[in-house]
Amino acid sequence: MSMKTSNIDFKPRIKAEMEDTIMRKAVAMAQERIGANRQIMVNELGHWEEWRDRAEQIRNHVLENLDAYLYQLSEKVTENGGHVYFAKTKEEATDYIRDIARQKQAKKVVKSKSMVTEEIGLNHVLQAEGIEVVETDLGEYILQVDNDPPSHIVVPAIHKDRYQIQKVLHEKLGYDGPETPEAMTLFIRERIRKDFLEADIGISGCNFAVAETGSICLVTNEGNLRMATTLPKTHIAVMGMERIAPTFEEVDVLITLLCRSAVGTRLTSYNTWLTGPREAGHVDGPQEFHLVIVDNGRSKILGSEFKDVLRCIRCGACLNTCPAYRQIGGHGYGSIYPGPIGAVISPLLGGYEDFHDLPYACSLCNACNQVCPVKIPLAQLIVKHRRVMAETGLTPKGERRFTRLFNYANAHPALWKVGMTMGAKMANWMIKDGKVSLKIDVLNDWMDARDLPAPDGEGFRSWFKRHQAERNK
């Protein structure tokens, strides 16, 4: 299963998303609300840039010593009675989890929200085995019922309003209640309570793993995660290999920034720490604990010019400020990782073939750089993607030809001067009502989105020369 969420080409896909007024209104309202709350929390905490510097330092230290911390983590998890599996590819990860499900003769699996399980396509693998998979995060549950992919890293159903959700619940589950969040939440809660009790396996993600103790940290706003990880007899946690903190001291810094950046709160409702399976004499917790550590291309990124992106703590702050995301929503990106972070990481994990358009879904305004709590230079990494694609011939042929022609003219001043003079003269009949009658393939989209100024038939150089002469009189 690919990371792709759509098989529609990029341009018609974003055009359709921009015509979705409900989505655009919902996303705009969420961005404004979360952004305002985030700023309140930032001001309250104080010394925000120093906090960001410290978080960047922690994440860089982990990446520079990742092999040692992965070894320490695996040793501690094993010492605590758990099992550790290192998966180089997404197929290895899903095969391991599927084998556990077969061994347990699992009929039902409950899941808490996890981006890495979306990345490896875990649900589809388990469902192909005839296993019922139930997403228990409220937003993820609604999307699963509607067969709709998530559109945000933290708020998966951000693109739907309450009336759309009410319609989904009515048509798919027979809900007849009002469109109030409280009533719809209660309806879903009553439905999935039995799923927690019947599940054979609970699967979660992992916000941070603590190498010193072998603990995993899970940050949520709903109680579903604690039920999904403690009621089933087997708990499987899936994590990207970079999601490690050396000790609880570093996690404290990262969580402080994560919660404020993600949803504009001091802390989420639940901060859960799990250390291995149920201990002897205890009644709570799973009998078995498995930690699946996923590479899936991360080692290659670690040794590349894009390694800074591995600092990401999946807070979604870049999505919450991005003007492109505001207009095209998460589904416009066609990846389970949308927004600026998706424009960087999707081509790295999923390949340029599927995601070569995403680095161009960006105005390079640098807003994402300013809000990232671990100071990832997202805009600069997006430019690097564009450069890599240009240098390796992945850009459209028409664009490459036009660029070569432009560079040649630009490198020959006499030719450039003739072109500018002729262009100024020709602009009078080429531009009508702000639009160009002559279509140039690589510039069509750019020109269609803009009203060009009425030309006066004069090039810049002649205008400048004339004005200089007038001023010197």
Side-chain angles (χ1 to χ4, degrees):
M1 180 64 186
S2 168
M3 287 169 51
K4 291 175 65 176
T5 60
S6 174
N7 290 319
I8 303 173
D9 288 342
F10 179 67
K11 290 179 181 178
R13 186 172 69 234
I14 62 172
K15 183 179 180 182
E17 291 300 320
M18 290 180 69
E19 292 172 355
D20 186 344
T21 56
I22 294 177
M23 177 278 293
R24 293 179 65 182
K25 181 179 178 181
V27 169
M29 289 177 61
Q31 280 191 332
E32 290 169 6
R33 182 176 65 254
I34 294 173
N37 291 338
R38 172 193 171 276
Q39 193 58 51
I40 292 171
M41 292 296 102
V42 166
N43 295 340
E44 178 187 89
L45 182 65
H47 305 287
W48 183 251
E49 291 306 312
E50 286 86 348
W51 280 93
R52 293 178 73 209
D53 289 340
R54 177 59 178 144
E56 178 190 20
Q57 181 186 42
I58 291 169
R59 296 298 294 139
N60 281 339
H61 171 76
V62 168
L63 296 177
E64 290 164 3
N65 300 276
L66 190 57
D67 54 346
Y69 284 124
L70 284 171
Y71 176 77
Q72 184 183 15
L73 173 67
S74 64
E75 290 293 296
K76 285 296 180 180
V77 171
T78 304
E79 184 181 310
N80 294 333
H83 306 271
V84 179
Y85 181 75
F86 287 92
K88 185 175 182 179
T89 65
K90 62 183 179 182
E91 290 80 12
E92 289 184 7
T94 54
D95 287 350
Y96 178 79
I97 297 169
R98 181 183 58 197
D99 289 345
I100 295 173
R102 286 174 175 172
Q103 293 169 12
K104 304 300 179 184
Q105 298 183 335
K107 302 298 182 185
K108 180 178 290 189
V109 168
V110 288
K111 286 180 72 248
S112 64
K113 189 179 185 311
S114 164
M115 289 305 300
V116 72
T117 60
E118 295 278 355
E119 175 189 322
I120 64 177
L122 179 59
N123 286 15
H124 301 278
V125 172
L126 295 178
Q127 289 165 345
E129 290 289 308
I131 299 170
E132 182 183 359
V133 180
V134 181
E135 295 283 356
T136 62
D137 173 87
L138 181 63
E140 292 282 2
Y141 180 85
I142 293 166
L143 297 179
Q144 184 182 39
V145 168
D146 198 31
N147 195 30
D148 191 17
S151 66
H152 193 284
I153 291 174
V154 177
V155 194
I158 193 174
H159 56 286
K160 291 185 181 293
D161 66 12
R162 64 176 67 187
Y163 302 101
Q164 289 178 314
I165 294 172
Q166 180 193 37
K167 182 180 179 182
V168 168
L169 297 181
H170 172 71
E171 293 179 351
K172 303 294 179 68
L173 301 178
Y175 173 71
D176 290 322
E179 80 287 350
T180 62
E182 295 81 5
M184 292 188 287
T185 301
L186 179 60
F187 173 78
I188 294 172
R189 180 192 299 169
E190 291 174 345
R191 286 187 63 89
I192 64 175
R193 182 58 60 91
K194 64 179 180 62
D195 294 321
F196 290 118
L197 299 173
E198 295 172 355
D200 304 290
I201 296 174
I203 297 177
S204 73
C206 171
N207 289 100
F208 304 105
V210 183
E212 183 181 50
T213 63
S215 306
I216 64 168
C217 165
L218 297 153
V219 180
T220 64
N221 275 312
E222 301 169 23
N224 65 302
L225 179 135
R226 292 187 176 180
M227 298 182 75
T229 57
T230 56
L231 289 177
K233 292 182 179 180
T234 302
H235 171 212
I236 303 172
V238 188
M239 63 174 281
M241 61 182 284
E242 78 282 10
R243 304 300 293 278
I244 294 181
T247 70
F248 284 101
E249 183 178 351
E250 287 78 21
V251 174
D252 181 38
V253 174
L254 297 174
I255 286 184
T256 296
L257 296 178
L258 172 63
C259 301
R260 286 168 171 79
S261 298
V263 288
T265 60
R266 297 182 188 89
L267 281 175
T268 51
S269 301
Y270 297 90
N271 287 273
T272 302
W273 306 89
L274 301 173
T275 307
R278 179 195 309 173
E279 296 181 356
H282 288 207
V283 296
D284 294 322
Q287 295 176 4
E288 280 189 25
F289 171 70
H290 297 259
L291 178 62
V292 180
I293 302 174
V294 179
D295 185 330
N296 195 34
R298 287 164 172 79
S299 292
K300 186 176 179 181
I301 298 172
L302 188 61
S304 76
E305 60 185 322
F306 295 97
K307 64 181 180 180
D308 287 345
V309 77
L310 293 178
R311 292 205 297 265
C312 180
I313 58 175
R314 303 295 191 269
C315 67
C318 57
L319 284 73
N320 297 338
T321 196
C322 177
Y325 181 87
R326 188 185 188 100
Q327 301 302 323
I328 67 175
H331 291 166
Y333 293 83
S335 167
I336 58 107
Y337 291 118
I341 185 63
V344 176
I345 205 167
S346 296
L348 297 173
L349 296 179
Y352 285 115
E353 182 178 352
D354 285 338
F355 300 112
H356 62 276
D357 290 306
L358 297 197
Y360 296 95
C362 174
S363 65
L364 300 178
C365 69
N366 280 276
C368 50
N369 291 12
Q370 303 305 313
V371 299
C372 177
V374 290
K375 304 184 75 170
I376 300 172
L378 290 163
Q380 286 65 43
L381 294 179
I382 287 171
V383 172
K384 285 184 179 181
H385 270 309
R386 297 180 183 182
R387 177 176 55 77
V388 168
M389 288 189 289
E391 291 176 349
T392 54
L394 293 174
T395 51
K397 289 183 180 179
E399 180 180 320
R400 296 201 298 274
R401 292 193 190 102
F402 184 85
T403 302
R404 283 196 294 269
L405 180 63
F406 177 85
N407 288 339
Y408 182 82
N410 196 33
H412 295 79
L415 182 59
W416 181 265
K417 181 179 180 181
V418 171
M420 292 298 99
T421 302
M422 292 179 60
K425 303 290 186 185
M426 295 170 62
N428 280 318
W429 60 268
M430 289 179 62
I431 300 176
K432 302 296 181 183
D433 298 323
K435 300 299 179 184
V436 180
S437 55
L438 177 64
K439 296 298 182 182
I440 304 173
D441 183 57
V442 295
L443 296 178
N444 284 344
D445 291 333
W446 187 89
M447 292 189 294
D448 287 345
R450 290 162 175 81
D451 289 327
L452 302 179
D456 57 11
E458 184 178 19
F460 172 76
R461 290 185 177 185
S462 60
W463 174 90
F464 186 78
K465 184 177 181 179
R466 179 167 54 82
H467 276 258
Q468 284 288 91
E470 292 176 356
R471 192 167 65 174
N472 293 331
K473 284 181 180 179

